Amino acid sequence: MAGTIGGRTVSSTYAPVRGWLLLPSWAVIGVFLLLPMLLMLVYSFLTKEFRGGVIWEFSLAAYDQFIFDRGLFGDEAPSIEWTYITIFVRSIVQALLATVLCLLIGFPTAYYVATRPARTRALWLFLITIPYWVNLLIRTVSMKFLIRDNGPFNEALLGLGLIDAPFQLVNTNLAVQLGLFYSYLPFMVLPIYASMERYNASLSEAAADLYATRWQILRRVIIPVIKPGIVAGCILVFVPSLGAFLAPDLLGGAKTFMIGSLIEEQFKGNAGNWPFGAAASMILLSMVLVVLMLYARSQAKEL
Amino acid sequence: MNPVLLSNQKLLPTALAAAVAAVLATTPIMAQAEGKLSIYHWFEYIPQTLLDKFSSEYGVEVTMDTYDSNESLLASLKAGKLGSYDVAVPGDYMVQIMAEGGLLDTVAEGELANAANIEEQWLNVPFDNGRKYSIPYQWGSTSFSVNRDVYQGDISSTDILFDPPAELAGKINMLDSQGEVMVLASLHLGMEQCSQDREKLKELDALLQGAKQHWASFGSDIAKDVLVSGDAAAGMIYNGFSAKAREEGANLEYAYPDEGYVVWMDNVVLLKDAPNRDNAIKFMDFLLEPENIAAVTNFAQYSAGVTGVAEFLDPALASSPEANPPTGPAGSFVAVCDQATQEVYDQLWTRLRK
Amino acid sequence: MQSAKAFDVKHYPGFLGVTVLCLFILYTPLIVVMVYSFNDSLSITRWGGFSLRWYVEVFNGVESAKFKSAAWNSLTIALAAGITSTMIAVAAAIGMVRGGQFAGKSVSFALLSMPIMVPEIVTAVATLVFFSAIGFTLGYGSIVVAHIVFCIPFAYLPIAARLQGIESSFEEAAQDLYASRWQAFRHVLLPIMAPGILSGFLLAFIISLDDFIITNFIKGAGVETLPTAIFGAVRQGIKPNIMALSTLMLLFSIAIVTASYLIGRKGGGSGRGEE
């Protein structure tokens, strides 16, 4: 990922016009993203209007609803509300699992590709990036088609005599998992590859000269050196998985809410509770920020 | 970051020039065109040929977006889409909610030349007394269908959805429509709609929580496909949609359960701040002509609320089991609850999906 | 480099297997859909012989008008958003990389990467609420604006990366020769940056073309893009004509990337052929 390159003198050829150069990006992102975010923050502290909308009166009701269970009728003594926490925890677990799965497959792939000779390397990389360019919706739909009860995957297993009855995959958490993994796998491979490509192979040679085994080299030398790439890959998979919408909706049968569908439901579906949707968005956003700050910290320590 | 992306210096200016030219060429599309009609409609409900017919008869360019539940129609309009559509097709209770919420424009007396075609029984309806905002579109029922290849037993009870036999458990699709799911569940328990009886509401909550394990998925627009493809063996569904699924090859039987079922009427309404109000009125008049509304009935297999459609109907419809409810169990419309009650039901719904 | 090791330090057993598995996972669904798009049978699960009928239907069927206008919208929106965000990103990259050290540089970088870092669903909802609050009518324009915003970081990253690799001595030399700052940019920096700019543009273009969630939230009456149109259609069942359409989009993406790849090899690969 981009950033200033440490150790080199910073060029300042364009310093006098810097403000003008940065202005368009500040203005566009500031007005059309930062401002909407601030508006959401404000909305999360407002009173909900019945059936969608907000009333401009300060209220903590949205956060209260998220945290406290006051019974079905709102008059019992508050206890912890597990409904939304469960939804968040499930989403986090799903995203983590997807990240781990992507890492397990993505790391060896990136390593293998990066160690190919230049000519074939480009071809391998080309093969891996192609699916990344294919529309995510189409990829998810393809996956759904493949794994449905009487789809090609089950037909093949039945045909081979490996199973007797179709293996039900669609509408399960496993399918969502598979979908997330499949959607974001290239996000894991590319940053690791980029780090790996810059890895100096003589480090491995040196370690081997000191009688390190292959796995010791991997663990003690390669992984520490390309860690930024691995961390970047994990973030690029984890963050979009957390708010994913298509995979749970198409592959999971929309039966259980994930964070994404919970938020959507507040603005587009039955619930129509804008402040609550805004509060859930803010909570999701702060979780992402925590992850990013941890990342920034770990990067700063490296330097 | 993307090493595949390359490097050629001549390509860039060429690509940019082509891109700019292409963008410039599109600007007319964005310009305001005369004679438009923007419809917000349920999915898979109106035949494209009918829209084309209106389009060519009146020289109006018709665009249509779709929604999949009354609630999402309301939510979209509230979240900023009011003012971009001319007409929508809300169900009965939603007409009342939208009218009370100030989302509808009134149709003045005499504005619709074909108003006299509205069937007597659909004229003074509780959700729009005197038809100030709406005209009848189609009416039908909502209950459930069962794949008879999978299950041959008795399906005359809502047990099929809430306490299903082993053959169907885990293979049921529910409509993603809060109002209708709640009504069927209430009917199953024999409780009235918009109940404020706490014990009953807790029972309702327990029923939904217990039944959830038997349900494979939630979705309205997918309701037909999951039954046809076999992803679901039973499913809550609208009568006409089930008939279409049957025609597509699924061995389905649509149930009219003893506990009761949902009846509904979809209505064409004139939206507030409609950008093309005149065309919207023309379109409503167009849909009050028996021949035109019959085309919708033939396509969607529900029933029209206009006199004189009979001669234009597909003869097969007359004997269709989905369109001919047995005498006995009665259907109920979805009721509009007050805010406090509705909020309890909203909470039940969220708890169901956690 | 010679080494006397008993093993090849670069080689890890099993990594090839995982790589093949990775490709298998990535490609199987796509290939299956491609194959079934040529299926003559109406039932998508049974094979009824080879046929191009679904491709004919994409172009001439009942829904063809909808898909055509959606494709047109997708393409023009992606071009408009891609070009605009690329121009903004070029300016921002120069300001960031060639603007010297300044207070607020990290804030500026955070702002630039914000569209990537905020979960898409949050961006979608916030944009919808914001447009609704300021009374910006949802439609074609709202989609373009939202796409420009989230395309900026995708355009920025490759451009900034390229710029960091360019020695500033080139422009400094030009300015020493009395070129104005603009001339130095136009005649020296811009041509060297071009590959990065093209990468940035293509990335932004594809990201815009790909977007579903944000578009779905903020699209206005009668404006569909291909992803939203396809989503609406597949919810009602994966029909063979959708598979045909998907295959066409897939081939379109592959064609773009392949062209880029080939051009890239011709342009830059000549000197780096050896190991």
Side-chain angles (χ1 to χ4, degrees):
Chain A
M1 308 207 56
T4 39
I5 292 170
R8 217 172 65 189
T9 41
V10 180
S11 159
S12 50
T13 331
Y14 289 86
V17 287
R18 184 174 59 214
W20 292 109
L21 289 170
L22 290 172
L23 187 66
S25 52
W26 286 349
V28 170
I29 297 177
V31 172
F32 292 105
L33 189 59
L34 194 58
L35 211 55
M37 288 301 160
L38 294 174
L39 186 69
M40 287 283 274
L41 183 63
V42 172
Y43 272 24
S44 73
F45 290 105
L46 294 181
T47 309
K48 80 160 180 171
E49 188 185 329
F50 186 42
R51 303 188 202 281
V54 286
I55 299 168
W56 284 84
E57 269 169 40
F58 177 81
S59 161
L60 284 172
Y63 292 96
D64 183 274
Q65 181 185 347
F66 194 97
I67 299 165
F68 295 113
D69 179 8
R70 294 171 193 278
L72 212 45
F73 310 101
D75 53 7
E76 290 166 26
S79 57
I80 296 292
E81 169 67 90
W82 292 105
T83 308
Y84 308 112
I85 297 173
T86 313
I87 291 173
F88 269 67
V89 169
R90 182 172 39 235
S91 301
I92 294 169
V93 169
Q94 290 251 358
L96 278 177
L97 280 174
T99 309
V100 170
L101 216 56
C102 283
L103 186 60
L104 284 179
I105 301 277
F107 176 79
T109 305
Y111 182 92
Y112 183 81
V113 173
T115 50
R116 290 311 90 202
R119 202 163 273 283
T120 46
R121 186 164 65 209
L123 185 67
W124 278 106
L125 197 63
F126 177 64
L127 282 174
I128 286 174
T129 32
I130 282 270
Y132 166 75
W133 297 109
V134 176
N135 196 296
L136 177 60
L137 177 66
I138 289 176
R139 283 189 281 150
T140 312
V141 168
S142 307
M143 180 58 97
K144 178 170 186 181
F145 175 70
L146 181 69
I147 64 173
R148 65 198 302 172
D149 284 6
N150 45 13
F153 174 72
N154 268 310
E155 299 275 304
L157 289 185
L158 284 169
L160 290 170
L162 291 172
I163 50 173
D164 301 325
F167 181 54
Q168 209 214 328
L169 209 57
V170 167
N171 297 338
T172 63
N173 280 339
L174 191 62
V176 179
Q177 201 66 71
L178 202 62
L180 291 177
F181 161 68
Y182 177 57
S183 305
Y184 303 119
L185 181 56
F187 286 169
M188 182 64 86
V189 176
L190 292 179
I192 298 183
Y193 168 82
S195 300
M196 197 56 220
E197 205 188 21
R198 265 179 264 133
Y199 173 74
N200 188 345
S202 53
L203 284 175
S204 291
E205 304 276 351
D209 285 338
L210 299 169
Y211 302 104
T213 66
R214 201 176 260 144
W215 297 107
Q216 282 172 329
I217 298 174
L218 185 67
R219 211 158 54 86
R220 299 280 179 78
V221 182
I222 299 178
I223 291 183
V225 172
I226 64 164
K227 200 169 141 209
I230 296 177
V231 177
C234 288
I235 286 183
L236 285 180
V237 174
F238 183 75
V239 171
S241 296
L242 203 54
F245 177 78
L246 280 178
D249 189 75
L250 288 172
L251 297 170
K255 195 169 113 177
T256 43
F257 281 154
M258 301 277 282
I259 298 178
S261 37
L262 178 72
I263 294 174
E264 196 230 7
E265 177 85 357
Q266 308 306 320
F267 292 92
K268 292 198 96 179
N270 296 300
N273 187 341
W274 288 22
F276 182 70
S281 303
M282 287 302 124
I283 293 169
L284 172 61
L285 192 61
S286 34
M287 286 178 4
V288 171
L289 283 181
V290 168
V291 172
L292 292 177
M293 269 153 67
L294 289 177
Y295 169 65
R297 241 221 211 131
S298 77
Q299 293 294 88
K301 244 185 248 163
E302 307 270 313
L303 293 177
Chain B
M1 166 133 180
N2 280 276
V4 170
L5 290 178
L6 35 86
S7 45
N8 182 306
Q9 308 195 357
K10 273 176 222 127
L11 193 73
L12 180 72
T14 324
L16 285 181
V20 171
V23 167
L24 289 178
T26 68
T27 26
I29 276 203
M30 295 156 69
Q32 284 285 324
E34 294 296 317
K36 279 193 167 184
L37 177 70
S38 181
I39 306 171
Y40 205 20
H41 201 298
W42 289 88
F43 61 92
E44 206 173 344
Y45 198 161
I46 192 167
Q48 183 63 41
T49 48
L50 189 66
L51 294 176
D52 294 345
K53 183 182 170 193
F54 177 78
S55 192
S56 60
E57 259 178 37
Y58 293 89
V60 166
E61 187 194 333
V62 179
T63 54
M64 181 175 77
D65 288 343
T66 60
Y67 52 86
D68 64 358
S69 76
N70 281 310
E71 287 77 10
S72 66
L73 160 69
L74 177 69
S76 287
L77 291 176
K78 281 226 159 182
K81 295 206 176 159
L82 192 67
S84 16
Y85 297 106
D86 299 304
V87 293
V89 191
D92 37 83
Y93 69 101
M94 194 49 67
V95 174
Q96 186 182 339
I97 291 172
M98 287 169 71
E100 285 167 2
L103 300 175
L104 302 183
D105 193 359
T106 46
V107 183
E109 188 110 8
E111 256 191 296
L112 291 171
N114 296 329
N117 291 352
I118 299 176
E119 268 182 329
E120 185 67 34
Q121 60 160 328
W122 297 117
L123 207 48
N124 286 314
V125 282
F127 52 85
D128 182 12
N129 205 348
R131 289 286 179 186
K132 286 197 286 290
Y133 304 99
S134 66
I135 59 160
Y137 185 63
Q138 298 278 306
W139 62 276
S141 65
T142 307
S143 75
F144 55 87
S145 287
V146 175
N147 186 331
R148 285 314 211 165
D149 294 336
V150 178
Y151 181 68
Q152 291 81 28
D154 176 41
I155 61 165
S156 65
S157 160
T158 43
D159 278 348
I160 295 290
L161 293 180
F162 299 103
D163 185 16
E167 293 94 325
L168 299 177
K171 294 194 141 296
I172 298 173
N173 176 60
M174 295 298 284
L175 293 182
D176 193 353
S177 165
Q178 183 181 345
E180 285 161 304
V181 172
M182 290 296 169
V183 173
L184 276 190
S186 303
L187 288 169
H188 181 75
L189 291 176
M191 66 188 271
E192 59 185 42
Q193 291 187 51
C194 300
S195 170
Q196 289 167 332
D197 182 329
R198 295 194 164 198
E199 289 313 306
K200 289 274 187 193
L201 284 167
K202 280 184 181 158
E203 232 180 284
L204 184 61
D205 183 41
L207 175 73
L208 293 170
Q209 292 296 329
K212 185 188 177 183
Q213 55 175 309
H214 305 305
W215 300 340
S217 53
F218 278 93
S220 301
D221 42 11
I222 63 169
K224 182 184 73 175
D225 180 58
V226 290
L227 289 170
V228 173
S229 68
D231 285 355
M236 191 177 156
I237 196 165
Y238 317 109
N239 61 336
F241 212 29
S242 178
K244 294 184 85 169
R246 184 169 51 80
E247 279 175 1
E248 286 180 23
N251 181 14
L252 290 179
E253 184 174 341
Y254 181 77
Y256 282 97
D258 294 336
E259 292 88 343
Y261 51 87
V262 179
V263 284
W264 47 260
M265 166 165 265
D266 289 335
N267 309 271
V268 185
V269 295
L270 184 58
L271 291 169
K272 202 182 128 204
D273 302 333
N276 312 286
R277 193 179 185 279
D278 292 349
N279 291 334
I281 293 288
K282 281 182 201 157
F283 186 64
M284 290 168 90
D285 245 340
F286 177 80
L287 289 176
L288 284 173
E289 279 170 32
E291 187 183 351
N292 297 330
I293 198 68
V296 178
T297 302
N298 288 335
F299 178 80
Q301 311 213 20
Y302 303 115
S303 311
V306 164
T307 51
V309 281
E311 58 175 306
F312 300 106
L313 291 183
D314 189 342
L317 271 178
S319 57
S320 151
E322 289 85 0
N324 294 283
T327 48
S332 346
F333 280 98
V334 175
V336 180
C337 312
D338 63 57
Q339 179 170 354
T341 315
Q342 187 59 44
E343 279 172 356
V344 176
Y345 281 90
D346 287 349
Q347 216 190 332
L348 290 178
W349 184 252
T350 307
R351 283 169 53 80
L352 176 61
R353 307 288 285 277
K354 73 179 171 190
Chain C
M1 247 185 276
Q2 222 84 48
S3 92
K5 252 59 72 195
F7 58 91
D8 174 4
V9 290
K10 273 159 88 183
H11 177 75
Y12 282 85
F15 277 22
L16 172 61
V18 176
T19 307
V20 171
L21 177 70
C22 177
L23 289 176
F24 179 77
I25 297 171
L26 286 175
Y27 279 90
T28 311
L30 300 179
I31 289 169
V32 165
V33 159
M34 247 190 223
V35 168
Y36 274 83
S37 71
F38 295 106
N39 185 2
D40 192 38
S41 160
L42 189 68
S43 149
I44 51 171
T45 43
R46 268 189 304 277
W47 181 255
F50 180 86
S51 156
L52 287 175
R53 60 188 279 205
W54 304 114
Y55 289 87
V56 175
E57 190 168 317
V58 167
F59 290 102
N60 291 319
V62 202
E63 293 176 308
S64 60
K66 189 172 100 189
F67 287 132
K68 273 179 204 160
S69 84
W72 183 244
N73 286 340
S74 274
L75 215 56
T76 55
I77 289 169
L79 278 174
I83 292 170
T84 316
S85 61
T86 305
M87 293 193 309
I88 294 173
V90 168
I94 296 174
M96 290 287 285
V97 180
R98 290 286 199 267
Q101 272 311 349
F102 58 99
K105 192 166 186 173
S106 55
V107 173
S108 186
F109 184 69
L111 201 61
L112 278 168
S113 33
M114 194 172 161
I116 292 189
M117 295 314 173
V118 177
E120 233 190 325
I121 185 81
V122 177
T123 308
V125 168
T127 311
L128 173 73
V129 166
F130 177 69
F131 282 168
S132 159
I134 62 170
F136 187 7
T137 310
L138 298 176
Y140 190 94
S142 63
I143 302 181
V144 174
V145 169
H147 279 219
I148 290 173
V149 174
F150 71 71
C151 284
I152 288 176
F154 287 98
Y156 174 83
L157 290 176
I159 295 172
R162 174 82 192 181
L163 194 54
Q164 276 160 353
I166 301 171
E167 296 286 339
S168 58
S169 49
F170 289 116
E171 309 124 73
E172 281 156 12
Q175 282 183 309
D176 288 346
L177 295 170
Y178 304 105
S180 68
R181 190 180 290 117
W182 168 252
Q183 285 170 325
F185 167 72
R186 173 68 190 79
H187 297 290
V188 180
L189 191 55
L190 190 63
I192 314 178
M193 277 174 79
I197 297 175
L198 183 60
S199 304
F201 167 73
L202 276 178
L203 193 56
F205 178 78
I206 296 269
I207 290 289
S208 162
L209 215 53
D210 196 46
D211 182 71
F212 167 72
I213 297 178
I214 294 175
T215 313
N216 193 41
F217 264 82
I218 55 156
K219 74 191 166 79
V223 185
E224 297 268 10
T225 64
L226 268 181
T228 65
I230 292 178
F231 183 77
V234 295
R235 291 282 296 170
Q236 289 151 47
I238 306 175
K239 300 270 157 40
N241 62 333
I242 295 298
M243 296 198 203
L245 182 61
S246 303
T247 306
L248 291 174
M249 283 179 73
L250 210 148
L251 294 177
F252 177 72
S253 304
I254 293 176
I256 290 187
V257 187
T258 310
S260 326
Y261 170 75
L262 292 177
I263 294 165
R265 271 221 322 200
K266 233 191 226 158
S270 50
R272 291 189 272 115
E274 81 287 354
E275 179 104 359

